[in-house]
Amino acid sequence: MTKTKLSLMLTAAPMIALLLPAPAMAQQTAEAENAGIEEIIVTAQRREENLQDVPISVSAFTAEQMAARGTTDISRLEGQVPGFTFGRSGSDARPAIRGVRTENVGVNGDTTIGFFIDGVYQSRASQATTGFVDIERVEVQRGPQGTLYGRNTFGGNIVISSAKPSFEGYFGGMDLTVGENGRFRSDAFVNAALSDTVALRIAGSYEKSDGYVKNVNPLGNNLFDDDNRYVRGSLLLQPNDAFSALIKFDYSRRVGAGGSAFGYKLAGSYFDVASRQQLYNATPVFGLNTRGGNRDGVNDALPGSAVATSDLGVPIFAAGDPYTIDTDQKTILDLENKAWTANLAYDFGSVTLKSITGYTDFGAIRTSDTDFSANQIGVDFQDTRAKTFSQELQLLSSDTGSALTYVLGAYYFKDKLTGIFINEQYPRIIRNVTPNLNLAANGGGFYDQQKAETESYAAYAQASYAITEQLKFTAGIRHTSDKKDFAFANANAILPTAGTPPVPQGTAITLRTGPIPDSAFGVQGGTTNCTYTSFPPPRSGFQCLASNTTILTGATYDTKKFNKTTWRAGLDYQLSDDNLMYASVSTGFRSGGFNSGQGPAALQPTFNPETVIAYEIGSKNRFADNTIQINLAAFYNNYKGLQEQRQVPVGATTLSIIENSGKARSYGAEAELIWQPVDALQIGGTFAYLNAKYTEYRDVPAPFGTTIVVADATALTPTIVNGVTIAPAGQRRLFAPGYNCGLVAGTGGAGQPAAAYGCDISGNRIPYSPEFTGAVYASYEIDLGSAGTLTPYASINFSSSFFGQPFNSILEKQAAFNKIDLRLTWDYNENVSIQGFVTNLTDKVTSTRFVWGGGGAMQASYAPPRLWGARASFKF
């Protein structure tokens, strides 16, 4: 960390110095009248309050602040929010806060960090990647918010508040942005006060770009392009001072190539050099694509190998360059989201009754080149559908100076989800050798369909009582009851089909393969026809092929219910009007769920809820006539049963299952600092320290190759552990080097599942939890007289290293980094401004996602490279 800090200081000093003209600053400090740091109103406690009065760790940004900093989506919050790390794979947002990360984005799981738009929870991770359009405010609430917000706020919340219609007449605005890679974006809004009681606001956006990940293959396309459109209409009805109704509809569509799926660039794999077998954490091989089917007939040399004796894969194209690929499939992204929201409120004087209703119809289609190469091997297809309805009622006491304030609430949520994954295998064309090799398809492909439904009820209450004028006690409680249903079917054994009733036509799966027959899913509670013995005894609701009852096709699980009471208690003490101290303890949970039953998933058909108890102390302060703001927080979180995602090989591809880790904990400290000695100058920073580790996580299979068997002439007798032969005579078993691995107790014996091998990774760091993160920034407004003002802005984000997977190996590690953003804004007047900007000035490469895929290949996604652009803003 010392080198990181030194590099940061050396880089920051000259840039900030440029923003501080000494003579002008000294004169203005003495003479200028300073209005002080802006106040921000937030709704972290479900009522409007000054940010500095809320005894919770909250970061908030107004529309003006976001425009000045170029905050166009949640990825730009990294660095601006202490301890907030943003990850992304494909179209899925994967934020992390205080050791809690977004891992499972499938229909069988819930988000860990809540994403709310105008009070309505969004259930899919892809919904959080939509850009901000005509936004009033963004809040990031850190730590579990299980009392007032609910079960899927395990690590915190991101709350978006759209700009509301105004009764102040007719006005509007437009932003036009151009930039690198042919980027063009237009944002516009118009507000119309139709009468004294009715106002309308319409906002929209269109964005187009070519993509910053360049594909050199004419058969493929660039990644992370943009072809986005968004429109929102809001109608505000306020017939009297007591009643208001805000009705909103919005529609968004994103098409193009997208960003592939769980990763778009391969980093490499591990091999045991002597045996030329893949063994996790053995010798790292950075330039080899080991995905299934990629065999070119060329024997590959490994580091330390004298002779190349086997064909292990094909070279990774432009290894080490994350922004250049050579893939032969035109990937597709097609996301569509339609949402209706109604916020109603009636003020009875002593209490206010609120109703928040939301309905969302979301769909996402994504494809990716399954082999990550120019060879013709296969393609992956994902289709996610969600129909979500929520209804919330709140009763809030008035803020009339009473010692007691409270909020009571009831919540209903229903989420109906469908997820389809298809892997289609083509007749292979291996193009990286001359002449090209023409080979048979690498298997028959794979088709998995999952149906999930969640119905949730909750009731909650939170009250604050002023014991004295300075001391306040807060207590809250929430009871949640989740009911979940799940069904799956794997179609590799029964599709495609034809006729009525459908008759299997073979095992070759294509993207055009039709729906899976209902019969393949089984019947909830129904007697199984399965007779397989490779898994635990067949369960009710599981279905196998009629012609071969050892082949599992699918299952409809029994309904599971997850009930949990979460709570919060806290004290806050107002030392003065500008200084607040607080302490709290709170809890949170995320529901359990189901795994689609392939191999290991059949051993673990369900996973349990994860829980947290969080302790926090903090202080919020303004000093020196409102020119200095220092907000501090320290926390300790104790986790149980964290839901961890694991990739399971299935034929030529992989599926994900979820398992619970044992115990984990995180502790740390965070700071937000602002110094505004005069209105023209603002210097700020965010800093976070985080120590997040698994304290108990045993019997964990490595992502691939936990163990291999090698020849050993000295082994004269078999190796037997707990009555299980793990290596015959003349051989010995090697485990992943550097880890404490062995036979999992209770496997491999008579009447037990096949021998399983796992490792103890207790003490490892939780992924996406860098020890140190933060940013420093500065802006200075230069008065140009009648020509307006010119405001340079500079920010530097820094992060220490972190890992992308629980095993913490070298291929999963992102090194420490600094990133620099520069902006220069000319405001001609209140209605016209132009901004030029460059992000990631030094072109630093950083990964936003690591995941192990098929063939033991590390897949990664990366944050954007250096990008420049300009924005013109007009208001009327």
Side-chain angles (χ1 to χ4, degrees), residues 390-473:
S390 65
Q391 174 62 55
E392 186 166 9
L393 296 175
Q394 297 176 349
L395 191 67
L396 297 95
S397 63
S398 63
D399 296 321
T400 57
S402 171
L404 178 67
T405 59
Y406 58 85
V407 54
L408 307 175
Y411 183 72
Y412 173 77
F413 172 82
K414 187 167 186 177
D415 204 15
K416 189 173 183 179
L417 303 164
T418 301
I420 294 174
F421 173 83
I422 302 175
N423 169 251
E424 179 178 355
Q425 292 291 307
Y426 300 134
R428 284 178 288 167
I429 303 175
I430 309 301
R431 299 188 173 104
N432 60 288
V433 292
T434 303
N436 296 345
L437 296 178
N438 292 281
L439 305 172
N442 185 41
F446 184 75
Y447 190 127
D448 178 73
Q449 182 173 347
Q450 301 179 18
K451 302 176 182 180
E453 188 168 314
T454 297
E455 191 170 26
S456 180
Y457 300 85
Y460 62 89
Q462 180 168 298
S464 296
Y465 182 76
I467 301 172
T468 69
E469 289 186 359
Q470 295 172 297
L471 181 63
K472 184 185 295 183
F473 173 70

Side-chain angles (χ1 to χ4, degrees), residues 317-370:
F317 179 78
D321 177 1
Y323 305 119
T324 306
I325 59 174
D326 181 8
T327 57
D328 67 328
Q329 296 296 322
K330 288 191 179 297
T331 57
I332 296 171
L333 172 69
D334 190 348
L335 269 65
E336 187 175 45
N337 193 76
K338 293 173 281 188
W340 293 262
T341 305
N343 283 265
L344 312 180
Y346 195 92
D347 187 351
F348 290 94
S350 59
V351 295
T352 298
L353 178 64
K354 290 186 177 181
S355 170
I356 306 171
T357 307
Y359 176 77
T360 300
D361 186 351
F362 171 78
I365 292 174
R366 294 154 289 179
T367 70
S368 58
D369 190 330
T370 188

Side-chain angles (χ1 to χ4, degrees), residues 477-559:
I477 190 169
R478 183 185 191 107
H479 182 76
T480 300
S481 178
D482 283 357
K483 183 180 75 171
K484 290 192 172 186
D485 290 287
F486 183 78
F488 79 91
N490 301 137
N492 58 323
I494 59 173
L495 287 179
T497 61
T500 306
V503 176
Q505 300 296 302
T507 59
I509 301 296
T510 75
L511 301 189
R512 293 157 296 285
T513 295
I516 297 178
D518 289 341
S519 59
F521 289 86
V523 178
Q524 186 179 92
T527 303
T528 181
N529 73 327
C530 299
T531 60
Y532 55 74
T533 58
S534 57
F535 303 148
R539 303 173 177 85
S540 62
F542 274 57
Q543 181 70 25
C544 287
L545 278 178
S547 59
N548 186 346
T549 54
T550 66
I551 298 177
L552 179 67
T553 65
T556 297
Y557 289 73
D558 290 339
T559 298

Side-chain angles (χ1 to χ4, degrees), residues 72-85:
T72 54
D73 56 50
I74 69 170
S75 71
R76 300 286 301 162
L77 296 175
E78 190 171 55
Q80 298 184 51
V81 176
F84 177 86
T85 300

